[in-house]
Amino acid sequence: MEKMNNAFEKMKMLVGMEVEDEHQQPAIEEDGNSFSFMDDFNRQCTLTPKQRFYGFAICLVSGLTCTLLSILVFFHPIKFGITFTFGNLLALGSTAFLIGPKRQVSMMLDPVRIYATAIYLASMIIALFCAFYVRNKLLTLLAIMLEFGALIWYSLSYIPFARSMVSKIMVSCFDTEF
C-alpha cells in the first residue's frame, strides 16, 4: 500500500499538484517566516486546472506564433532576434502554468539539466546581443541556430534517455567511413 501511495504522490508532483511531505519540515528563517518568496508566490497564485491549461495553451500558441512570425522579419536582425527569443521565452514559460513557477525553476536547475538550461539561456542572451549590438544578419542567424539547438537539447533533457539516444545516433552518423 505504501508503494501505491508513493507512486500517487509522484504522479501528483509530475502534474504540479501540492504534495504533503511529512518527512520534510520547512526551514524557519530569521524573521520567523517559514516560507520563501517562491512558496508564498505559489500560494497566492492558485489556479484551477482549467485556468492552468488555458494559460499553458495561450502562452504556448503565442510563443510558437512569435517564433514562426520571426521568419517573416529575418532581414531585420533586431526584430528577428527579439521576436524569436520572445517566442522561446513564452513557450518556455508556458510550462510554468502546468507545474507552477517554483517547480519549473527547480526542474530547470536540476543537476541533470543545469548545463542545458545554462546554455539555452546564454544562447538567448547571445542572440539578443547579436541583434541589438552587432547588427549582423549572419551572426544573428548563427546565434539563432545555436539557440534552436540549445532548445532542442534542453527539451530532450526532460525525456528519459533521449539525449543519450540522440548522442549515439549523431556519433554513428558521423562515424561512418566513406
Side-chain angles (χ1 to χ4, degrees), residues 88-89 92 115-124 147 150-151 154:
N88 277 337
L89 286 172
L92 180 66
Y115 296 119
T117 301
I119 292 170
Y120 181 46
L121 295 176
S123 68
M124 284 189 216
E147 184 177 340
L151 170 65
Y154 171 79

Side-chain angles (χ1 to χ4, degrees), residues 65-94:
T65 301
C66 282
T67 302
L68 292 174
L69 287 177
S70 68
I71 296 170
L72 298 175
V73 294
F74 174 71
F75 294 109
H76 304 284
I78 294 174
K79 291 178 184 177
F80 177 70
I82 292 171
T83 309
F84 188 83
T85 303
F86 185 64
N88 277 337
L89 286 172
L90 279 171
L92 180 66
S94 68

Side-chain angles (χ1 to χ4, degrees), residues 1-7:
M1 189 65 175
E2 187 175 324
K3 286 184 179 182
M4 283 294 282
N5 287 338
N6 288 339

Side-chain angles (χ1 to χ4, degrees), residues 154-169:
Y154 171 79
S155 299
L156 289 175
S157 72
Y158 284 94
I159 303 169
F161 306 108
R163 291 192 297 184
S164 63
M165 181 181 67
V166 169
S167 295
K168 288 178 183 177
I169 290 171

